[in-house]
Amino acid sequence: MPFQPPPSHPPRVPAHAPEDSHTLRLPSARKRGDVRALRAAYRGQRRTATFAALGYFLVFLLLAAFAPAALTGDVTAGLPLGMLLALLQLPVTWLAIALYEHTARRRVDPLVDRLRRGGATGARGEAGR
């Protein structure tokens, strides 16, 4: 195939791309505010779960680094505090997951549902144009 020089100007892109039924169109300012609220809810949700899981682990690491004698003391006969804290890491992680799911159901899911209802209403309104 012989070499063909590029066209002098880029190809024309249609002004109106075909709509995908899976995209969420958000033209109004109220909906943009809802998206901002949704982003803030997701951000808060991630921070809460992250601080719960990593905060506990950080405390454990700081104790190991700066107060190792405290971790060697027995809580009960034969169970040192360090071992107990290490064993509690898994339940604390489960708690962080449960907290993440709880905040999703309580704060994030209602915002998503509201956006979906508004997006479906907006799509029906635009289809009638």
Side-chain angles (χ1 to χ4, degrees):
M1 179 172 189
F3 173 74
Q4 294 179 352
S8 58
H9 42 74
R12 263 190 127 159
V13 177
H16 218 270
E19 289 189 33
D20 183 7
S21 63
H22 299 290
T23 59
L24 182 62
R25 300 190 67 190
L26 302 170
S28 72
R30 185 189 73 75
K31 290 179 184 172
R32 283 193 303 265
D34 287 346
V35 171
R36 285 188 190 112
L38 180 62
R39 285 182 182 156
Y42 271 129
R43 193 171 33 253
Q45 180 187 25
R46 287 189 310 262
R47 286 179 184 161
T48 301
T50 300
F51 289 144
L54 293 181
Y56 179 86
F57 188 64
L58 180 64
V59 167
F60 179 70
L61 288 179
L62 289 173
L63 281 172
F66 298 108
L71 295 179
T72 59
D74 285 345
V75 175
T76 62
L79 181 64
L81 179 63
M83 180 62 80
L84 178 65
L85 292 176
L87 291 173
L88 287 176
Q89 182 65 44
L90 188 59
V92 167
T93 303
W94 287 338
L95 179 66
I97 292 169
L99 185 64
Y100 186 87
E101 289 177 354
H102 174 75
T103 57
R105 273 186 249 108
R106 190 166 157 243
R107 294 187 181 144
V108 177
D109 290 349
L111 291 171
V112 170
D113 291 340
R114 187 169 64 195
L115 278 172
R116 283 186 180 150
R117 281 193 309 270
T121 304
R124 280 194 298 269
E126 288 180 16
R129 286 185 187 177

